Amino acid sequence: KNDESVVDCAMRWASWASKLPPITLESRRLCNRSVPNDAEGMQNEDMCGFALQSCPPKRAGGESARATIESIRASFEVLSFTEGMEVEKNVFNDLLYHSLQGRAYRHIFFAERSSSSGKRKSTNPLAKGKGTIGVIGAGTMGRGIAISFLKAGYGPVILLDVNAKGLEAGVKYIQQTLQIDAKKGRLSPSKLKAALACLQS
């Protein structure tokens, strides 16, 4: 019903469910349902293997993705739902307490929240949009980082790369991107001039 509130919808569903025979409700519980042997013509094990091939290596940030696939594999490899949940709990706890990547993700998450809330004041000049920024690597990521700092008013922003041609291409890309942003009104002429002046290599 389009004009029905969420609470009213939940109460209506609860009233409907309370009148169902117990066997009907039991059959809807996930713990009582079996995992199909295949999906869309592919065996479960083959699907997990394919997913693993698509994941980055553990050392390259793929720990959580590979752990997810391990938990999914447990749903059709172990004998019971309870055992499968135990596997998933152990995988989760391992990521929570022992994974350096997990710690890094949590650190980034809370650091972003802290920096965006404005509650914590810092005497660090970088926190006030001042100071020299060094960006190592003029590839896609390095260019994006440099552009972000330049648009935020930091400077000078020094772009470094061992490849001279790559560095030249990176500087040119950053300059063009800032100029395009200015043409589209995302950057004022004065900020464009300041950003271009702060870019060094």
Side-chain angles (χ1 to χ4, degrees), residues 62-85:
E63 277 189 348
S64 58
R66 290 175 176 272
T68 300
I69 296 171
E70 183 181 342
S71 298
I72 293 173
R73 178 179 274 127
S75 69
F76 59 84
E77 283 189 347
V78 299
L79 298 177
S80 68
F81 178 84
T82 302
E83 290 176 293
M85 290 299 294

Side-chain angles (χ1 to χ4, degrees), residues 133-153:
I133 303 295
V135 180
I136 301 174
T140 302
M141 183 178 292
R143 297 174 187 183
I145 293 171
I147 290 170
S148 297
F149 275 114
L150 288 167
K151 290 175 71 174

Side-chain angles (χ1 to χ4, degrees), residues 62-190:
E63 277 189 348
S64 58
R66 290 175 176 272
T68 300
I69 296 171
E70 183 181 342
S71 298
I72 293 173
R73 178 179 274 127
S75 69
F76 59 84
E77 283 189 347
V78 299
L79 298 177
S80 68
F81 178 84
T82 302
E83 290 176 293
M85 290 299 294
E86 187 68 21
V87 170
E88 185 173 340
K89 184 183 78 172
N90 292 335
V91 168
F92 177 82
N93 286 337
D94 184 54
L95 289 174
L96 181 64
Y97 297 114
H98 305 124
S99 169
L100 293 178
Q101 290 178 22
R103 294 180 188 178
Y105 283 131
R106 290 193 295 276
H107 175 79
I108 292 172
F109 173 78
F110 287 111
E112 288 179 344
R113 287 190 61 183
S114 176
S115 63
S116 62
S117 66
K119 294 180 180 179
R120 182 179 295 180
K121 295 183 179 180
S122 174
T123 56
N124 190 326
L126 292 180
K128 300 178 181 179
K130 300 177 180 179
T132 301
I133 303 295
V135 180
I136 301 174
T140 302
M141 183 178 292
R143 297 174 187 183
I145 293 171
I147 290 170
S148 297
F149 275 114
L150 288 167
K151 290 175 71 174
Y154 289 84
V157 175
I158 305 171
L159 189 65
L160 304 171
D161 200 298
V162 295
N163 186 318
K165 290 185 177 180
L167 179 60
E168 183 181 352
V171 171
K172 186 176 181 180
Y173 176 87
I174 292 170
Q175 292 171 337
Q176 290 176 342
T177 301
L178 292 172
Q179 290 166 351
I180 290 172
D181 282 349
K183 288 180 180 178
K184 292 184 176 180
R186 299 172 186 164
L187 207 61
S188 66
S190 60

